[in-house]
Amino acid sequence: MAQELLEIKDLTVGFLTEKGFVRATDRISLSLPKGQTLCVVGESGSGKSVASLAVMRLIDYAGGVIAEGEVHFQGQDLTVKSQEEMRRIRGNKITMVFQDPMSALNPVFTVGEQIAESLRLHKQLSAGAAWSRVIDMLRLVGIPDPEVRARQYPHEMSGGMCQRVVIAMALACDPELVIADEPTTALDVTVQAQILELMQKLKREMGMSILLITHDMGVAAEMADRIAVMYAGVIVEEGTAEDIFERSRHPYTHGLLKSIPGLSGERGTELYAIQGNIPRLGELPAGCRFSPRCPFAAERCFREEPPLLPTPDGHRSACWLESGPEVKTS
Ligand SMILES: Nc1ncnc2c1ncn2[C@@H]1O[C@H](COP(=O)(O)OP(=O)(O)OP(=O)(O)O)[C@@H](O)[C@H]1O
Ligand SMILES: [Mg+2]
């Protein structure tokens, strides 16, 4: 069996609101084997970012609370660590790449200084050694003229170049795990493809594991070894990329697959959209959370919440429909 680098068990994260405590993730369990990429997919509001912020314990600063569950990273439970201990892990063993590179970079320091700072902090490198690693990292992420670029400020670079800098910063300390939350969403399509390719290449060369959050099934198709599909705070289906793309069982996953351009049938036809909207926190329907939008929902689906159970082929799906509905995606 593959060695798990990250194991999330029954993680419930929520917020105290005027409606009381609302759960943005509800007892989710996930594991990420070493050296693999796990994509968490789902529509806006499904709880993807909240889950990743909880892993990093940054949720504490976003007003959220880990109410239940464990996050095992290299055998240690991160949910019981102090923020002091987490500061030694964040930026070092676990690093992050967010959607907007500009907000991840400090406008008043050169990009080289910013990468060097994290190397000095976490790896105790001398200024000279840190700077030469900075240049190596910028070269590795495909930035031309790294010696010149290292002395530039973020505003002197394009969005795509800035995201390469953020990736260089995320990888400089040789992390075990990189958490990337919509890393290419803010970039235009060609740059998006280049950044995804870069992440694949670096994963192969450096051997880190990636937790990649995306609402885009096309991105998951490019990147994932494993995929977890989230809906309204729960995981509704989980398996290898092949399980999800070729043997998916859950009607919500079918809907997401049908909405991928190019995978959804003849050209020129309108892109499929799942009808209705994801429920608001605190206003969850009874039974299966997807039942009000599910074209196959039966009476039981409106009454009882289906557990995430193994399917006959060995992945996991949370749906009462025994054999899975017949839905054609092509
Ligand atoms: N600070 C907060 N206070 C209250 N509710 C919050 C807070 N942050 C997130 N939420 C709620 O938690 C739920 C999950 O949000 P989350 O940001 O994890 O979604 P997501 O899947 O990342 O969506 P997106 O694709 O838009 O990034 C949403 O209903 C959101 O409104
Ligand atoms: Mg998000």
Side-chain angles (χ1 to χ4, degrees), residues 14-17 22-25 42-53 59 62-64 99 181-182 213-215 230 233 278-281:
F15 300 93
L16 207 51
T17 68
V22 294
R23 293 156 175 250
T25 74
E43 284 165 295
S44 187
S46 53
K48 307 181 298 294
S49 295
V50 165
S52 70
L53 291 173
I59 199 72
Q99 180 170 339
D181 191 346
E182 307 276 6
I213 292 167
T214 178
H215 64 273
M230 272 190 87
I278 197 163
R280 268 183 243 253
L281 295 184

Side-chain angles (χ1 to χ4, degrees), residues 33-64:
K34 203 169 158 49
Q36 293 202 0
T37 298
L38 169 66
C39 283
V40 180
V41 300
E43 284 165 295
S44 187
S46 53
K48 307 181 298 294
S49 295
V50 165
S52 70
L53 291 173
V55 169
M56 300 293 299
R57 291 283 303 285
L58 290 173
I59 199 72
D60 307 24
Y61 302 109

Side-chain angles (χ1 to χ4, degrees), residues 93-116:
K93 289 176 179 255
I94 306 179
T95 59
M96 283 158 299
V97 177
F98 292 111
Q99 180 170 339
D100 178 12
M102 283 317 205
S103 65
L105 295 170
N106 189 328
V108 305
F109 293 103
T110 66
V111 299
E113 285 167 339
Q114 298 183 54
I115 301 172

